[in-house]
Every structure is written in structure tokens, then in C-alpha cells.
Amino acid sequence: MPTLTLIVPDDWPDPRRECPWILRDERGRTLESGCGGPESWPRPPASADGETQGLPCDLLLAGIQVAVHAAVLPAGNRAQSPEVLAAVLEDDLLDDPARLSFVVLDEGAQPAGAARMVGVLAQARLHALCQRLGELGLYVRSAWPLIFTLPAGEAMWVGGRLNIRFPEPGGMAIAVAELGAWRSALAGAGVDFPLRCGYLADEGGSEGGTEAELLAELAAADRQTLQLLAAPQRLPPGGAGFLYGPLAVPARAPAWRRQLRYPAFLALGFLALALLAALADWGWMAYQAKEYKFTVDREFARIFPGGAQVDAVLQLQRHVDALESAQGRLGAGDFLNLLAPFSEAPALAGRLLALDYGDGRLRARLAGEAGTDVDELLVACRAAGLHCGQERREGMLEVTLSTGEGR
């Protein structure tokens, strides 16, 4: 997604509505640029599902809304913390440090005792800017002083003010009309004249002509003071700048995660439907089990009026066996019926040691060598519905098979 860089004057958005802007691609190459109100800014692109995403935005703050100081920072990892910066700049701050945000320009390795540039901004101003730009559909991800992006000893004109970076660390913003009054002080700070001043060539105008034209007239009136040139479109420093602590902007979800949001919702929907179907099936099976139990209890009460119910199925089976025997037919616990599963088990001949029948159960004891043949026999017997057990006696493996539930 492209990134919008806004160069924000100190009187934006009221009364000034115009704001210089630069649209860059992900590699930092300029796609578009201009100066105008929010209605002229590039619109954030829409995602594949038609939803508008917030356009990433970097702020370069111009004018007197941000102060730039030079400070020698102590050594240590916490040298750039707001508490340390507030203590170092205590004599230069005009407000409670708790209401201010600080940022240090990282210029790489510096010799010990070298001064660093420190930007200071009111948190209320930054919060108001982020809130307003958020309402306009922008995702503010960083905020820096404009002076941090200028070459040493040069200036940039924005919103009727010159933003000047000193040759040594530090800088200031003054009104264009006050440049003559500040010339001696600027020369004392090491600024050479004519002062190289950049401007945005396509900035909008007013009844007196474009502001770039007004600046050109000023340069023409005193060529020893100002050298006008087209300002290059500078990149903001890396990082969030003033946006830290309570003002830190939550990280955006990666694009692939946003793209997976709707498939994830769809998958969750199917999962919810499957869960509901499983719950419905479980409820139906529970209902059927309850109905079967009710039927068994009802039949038991009909067959055994006033009888104690312990195991209705077993008690009814015994009753059916008794009726079968009374009619001359085999019951479930009779010997021949219990012998039937043994006929389905292979290779029992030659292994049989004993056969016991009683209490509605038929038991057979087999002898054999432990090995694959016995394992295969046990698998076949279990498949035939026989209960199997093993016990080693006197070097032989004794296998016990049984059938029937007993009484």
C-alpha cells in the first residue's frame, strides 16, 4: 500500500485548510504530490471485499508547533527516554514535561559529548492531529519535526514560515517577513547568507497570488538574504518519532491476516454449523435412548408386575430362555447355542484341554506354544465373539476361551 506524507503547518486545520502532501510507493518513490485541503488528498484504496482501508500516513510538523533544541545527552540506554530528555532540557521547556513529547534525531555514531537535535511537541496538539486525520481515513504511523529532514544550514518554506536548520544541531521557525530582523541572530548561529530556502512549486495560493510567488518576490527584493530553490521531496526518518507511550498507534494487522479474515469467519461459521449438527444428533440419540429405556421398563412392568427391576435386559432374557425351554427350543444360554461361536474359530482341534459348561457360560481351555499362530488364533476367536485370556503354566501357554454372559 502507498504511504502519504503530510507537511503540516502550525495553523492546520484551522484556519488553514491547505497542506502539502506527497504520495510514495512502498519503495519510497514519489507517485503524486500537491498542496490542498483534505478533499484533494489521495484516497485510501479499497480492499478486495470493498472495505476501505486506512491509508498509512507520516507527518512532518512545520512551524512553531514544534521546537528543536540542541542537547548533550548522557551515555546509556535510557539517554533518549522522555524523563532524561526533560531533565536535560529543563531550562528550555515552557510547559510541564508530562504534557510534552520528545524525539531525538539519530545521525549515526557521534563522538562523546556531541550535541544532538531534540524535537519537542505538545501532546495535546499531536493527539488532536491524529484524531482529525483518523476521521479523514488516514492511519498515522509516525510524526517528526520537518527540520529533521533538512540539510544543515538550509531552510524550507511552509505556511508562511521559514523552517531553518542550523549548521550545528538545532533549528527554529520564523515568519518570512521577519527574516531581516533575525538575520544577525541567524548569522551568529552559523547560518550563511543568502539562505538556501526550498519551497513546493505547486503550492496553492490566495488573493495575493501563490505563496511560492510571494516568496519569490521576497527573494528578488533581497538577493543577499534568500536563495530560492525547488525543495526536494524528502523522506521522514525511520521509526514512529513522537508517537510513543499513550500516543503510540496500535500496529496494523498484516495484509495476509486481513485477507484471511473473511475465510476465517466462513470457516468458523461452518464449524459452528457442524457443532450445532453434532449437538442435534447427540440430542436425538439421547432422546432415542431414553425412549428405548422407557419401552424396556414398560415391557418389564407388563411382564413382571410388581417385580424388582435390577437388570431389565438380563431378566427379560432369562424369561425368554425359560419360555423357549418350555416350548422345547434352545435358549440363549443352552449348550448348543453357546457352542456355535467355537465352530467359527479355526484350528481348535488338537489344542483343547477341557470344556466346561455351567451358569449359562461355556469355557474352553487350550494349550499351545506362544507365537504367531497363537496370536492369530486369539484374533480369530475375538472376532467370533469369544472372550480370551492367556496364562503360562509349566512352560506351556494356556489359552482360556469363554462365551455367554453367565447367570
Side-chain angles (χ1 to χ4, degrees), residues 34-329:
C35 181
E39 66 279 357
S40 68
W41 299 350
R43 295 292 93 191
S47 61
D49 53 14
E51 181 180 351
T52 300
Q53 304 289 337
L55 185 65
C57 176
D58 297 317
L59 303 183
L60 295 178
L61 304 173
I64 59 175
Q65 62 184 327
V66 59
V68 178
H69 302 278
V72 178
L73 304 181
N77 296 330
R78 292 182 51 82
Q80 298 187 22
S81 66
E83 296 78 12
V84 173
L85 295 175
V88 172
L89 299 174
E90 181 178 6
D91 295 336
D92 297 320
L93 300 180
L94 303 178
D95 200 352
D96 182 358
R99 300 178 182 176
L100 301 174
S101 292
F102 303 86
V103 66
V104 179
L105 177 61
D106 185 6
E107 296 182 286
Q110 296 289 325
R116 307 281 295 276
M117 281 210 300
V118 181
V120 183
L121 176 67
Q123 292 183 4
R125 169 64 173 167
L126 185 56
H127 178 76
L129 285 175
C130 292
Q131 183 176 9
R132 178 60 179 146
L133 294 172
E135 295 171 353
L136 295 174
L138 298 177
Y139 169 76
V140 181
R141 65 179 189 180
S142 72
W144 293 89
L146 173 63
I147 291 177
F148 278 16
T149 68
L150 301 179
E154 295 190 11
M156 183 170 180
W157 177 91
V158 176
R161 296 187 185 274
L162 295 177
N163 298 267
I164 307 171
R165 177 173 176 177
F166 301 153
E168 297 297 326
M172 65 182 301
I174 61 173
V176 175
E178 298 175 357
L179 179 59
W182 280 92
R183 178 167 180 171
S184 297
L186 292 174
V191 177
D192 295 329
F193 288 91
L195 175 63
R196 292 170 56 87
C197 178
Y199 70 96
L200 298 177
D202 56 352
E203 292 208 8
S206 58
E207 295 180 358
T210 66
E211 292 175 329
E213 291 172 352
L214 297 177
L215 188 59
E217 291 176 6
L218 179 62
D222 189 353
R223 297 184 181 276
Q224 300 300 318
T225 303
L226 211 59
Q227 179 184 356
L228 195 64
L229 56 119
Q233 299 172 347
R234 305 188 182 281
L235 290 170
F242 286 116
L243 298 179
Y244 61 85
L247 296 174
V249 179
R252 304 183 76 192
W256 63 266
R257 187 176 300 177
R258 295 196 300 271
Q259 293 170 358
L260 287 178
R261 180 174 55 184
Y262 285 100
F265 286 158
L266 188 62
L268 287 176
F270 280 120
L271 181 60
L273 289 176
L275 181 60
L276 289 176
L279 289 175
D281 187 59
W282 176 82
W284 172 246
M285 294 177 65
Y287 170 77
Q288 287 183 312
K290 184 178 179 181
E291 287 295 311
Y292 293 154
K293 185 177 183 304
F294 174 76
T295 301
V296 170
D297 292 344
R298 183 184 59 191
E299 292 300 317
F300 183 88
R302 184 178 64 82
I303 297 172
F304 302 105
Q309 181 177 333
V310 178
D311 186 340
V313 175
L314 183 57
Q315 290 173 279
L316 289 173
Q317 181 63 53
R318 290 174 178 175
H319 182 70
V320 171
D321 289 345
L323 294 177
E324 292 284 356
S325 298
Q327 297 296 324
R329 292 190 292 268

Side-chain angles (χ1 to χ4, degrees), residues 14 169 394:
D14 185 24
E394 299 177 356

Side-chain angles (χ1 to χ4, degrees), residues 333-359:
D334 287 333
F335 177 82
L336 292 179
N337 277 341
L338 296 178
L339 190 61
F342 287 91
S343 64
E344 301 177 10
L348 289 182
R351 299 175 181 267
L352 190 62
L353 296 179
L355 193 64
D356 300 321
Y357 170 68
D359 299 328

